[in-house]
Amino acid sequence: MDAPTGIVAPAQLAYLQRMLDFVVSFTEKAGFDLKRIREIELCVEEALVNIFNYAYPTATGEVELTLLPGPENTLEIRIQDRGTPFDIFSVQEPDLDADIEERRIGGLGIFLVRRLMDRVEYRRDGDRNILSLFAKLPPPREPSGG
Amino acid sequence: MEVEKRMDGDVLIVSVRGRIDAVTAPEFEKRLMESIGAGEKAVLLTMEHLEYISSAGLRSILAIAKILKTKEEKLVFADLRGPVKDVFKISGFGSIFTIFDTEAEALRQL
């Protein structure tokens, strides 16, 4: 895969579709199958919406999404904001066995991210939240012709 | 995201197509809320043409399910496809809700 490529946008729901389109378009070109593209799209949505909802409670801010080659033949989707510290691993997993009345509304998005991505990392660097989602790259396509 | 509704006996059938994401989930929830209370005893959500659902959509479904539960109405699902089916499975919705393979099968059982 080539050099890092990215997109910066205000951390607002109005920019969700644009950012998802960017990721979908890239993963299509990278040769991911449709199922995996949908899963990656879902995880990026969950991560972004979380930032839109919680990162900047009192002011407006930006979110930066970068696609870059990760270790061990992966695609790294790096999502950064300068908002409230938020460690994705601090969120309690939902109780999947609870019935309708007891089932909590919330926590599901992060759970999906942790289940569907091949690896997830979070670090706080200065005033930045840096969330990295890793997806194993598909095997290279057979070269066509000689 | 588009929602179509019709009654079959006392079952309210709601077909949803397109995407239920963080942007469209509030509209989906609103449309569903407006649809219930038409004297139905059960609500059947058919998802043959639903391409994508995120946790925002799951939250809407859970919110509706909680309301229907207080009205002693059933909420069941049919025709889950591809990624939607997987998301239901991973999030445990497959075990808290009854899911039928087809709309016809759901109507036979309700």
Side-chain angles (χ1 to χ4, degrees):
Chain A
M1 107 174 234
D2 299 329
T5 173
I7 183 170
V8 181
Q12 294 164 16
L13 198 54
Y15 295 88
L16 176 66
Q17 197 57 56
R18 192 176 303 176
M19 298 188 91
L20 293 182
D21 288 347
F22 177 79
V23 172
V24 168
S25 163
F26 184 92
T27 50
E28 279 172 353
K29 285 188 199 116
F32 285 94
D33 65 35
L34 187 60
K35 180 175 188 287
R36 195 61 179 144
I37 292 170
R38 286 278 169 271
E39 290 171 355
I40 293 169
E41 183 184 8
L42 174 68
C43 293
V44 173
E45 177 187 326
E46 302 298 353
L48 288 175
V49 168
N50 212 56
I51 291 169
F52 298 165
N53 289 341
Y54 304 113
Y56 302 105
T58 54
T60 54
E62 285 184 333
V63 59
E64 179 178 353
L65 186 151
T66 315
L67 302 172
L68 61 163
E72 291 165 19
N73 213 31
T74 56
L75 166 66
E76 177 181 352
I77 304 159
R78 191 181 292 170
I79 301 173
Q80 304 183 68
D81 67 74
R82 292 172 182 273
T84 310
F86 176 71
D87 180 356
I88 195 168
F89 294 102
S90 68
V91 177
Q92 199 187 348
E93 295 204 346
D95 178 2
L96 299 184
D97 297 322
D99 66 15
I100 293 168
E101 292 107 321
E102 291 161 359
R103 187 71 187 258
R104 281 189 312 121
I105 294 184
L108 265 176
I110 283 159
F111 175 72
L112 289 170
V113 173
R114 281 156 51 174
R115 284 293 300 273
L116 288 170
M117 286 291 102
D118 290 307
R119 200 165 85 236
V120 178
E121 288 175 3
Y122 166 80
R123 67 179 198 274
R124 181 80 182 172
D125 183 3
D127 63 349
R128 284 175 180 263
N129 288 308
I130 305 175
L131 177 68
S132 292
L133 312 179
F134 296 91
K136 283 188 187 121
L137 286 163
R141 275 167 285 198
E142 294 290 316
S144 56
Chain B
M1 191 277 306
E2 287 170 47
V3 171
E4 276 173 23
K5 54 197 173 187
R6 61 195 163 87
M7 291 291 289
D8 184 301
D10 46 16
V11 179
L12 173 68
I13 304 172
V14 180
S15 310
V16 57
R17 56 171 65 223
R19 298 167 57 92
I20 309 179
D21 57 21
V23 176
T24 59
E27 175 70 12
F28 166 70
E29 191 173 330
K30 181 168 162 266
R31 297 284 300 275
L32 216 55
M33 291 290 283
E34 288 166 357
S35 307
I36 60 178
E40 73 280 350
K41 68 162 190 192
V43 177
L44 167 60
L45 262 174
T46 67
M47 300 185 148
E48 184 183 357
H49 301 290
L50 185 66
E51 294 159 17
Y52 178 96
I53 189 164
S54 68
S55 71
L58 296 179
R59 272 195 294 279
S60 294
I61 287 172
L62 204 53
I64 299 279
K66 284 177 195 261
I67 288 165
L68 289 174
K69 187 95 182 179
T70 64
K71 295 154 81 84
E72 295 184 349
E73 284 185 39
K74 277 186 193 167
L75 174 63
V76 303
F77 298 82
D79 266 328
L80 273 60
R81 300 292 164 96
V84 174
K85 197 172 191 169
D86 293 340
V87 169
F88 263 61
K89 191 174 172 190
I90 296 168
S91 57
F93 273 40
S95 53
I96 56 177
F97 294 111
T98 307
I99 297 167
F100 297 98
D101 286 341
T102 64
E103 181 181 313
E105 175 68 18
L107 291 172
R108 261 199 303 279
Q109 301 280 340
L110 281 170

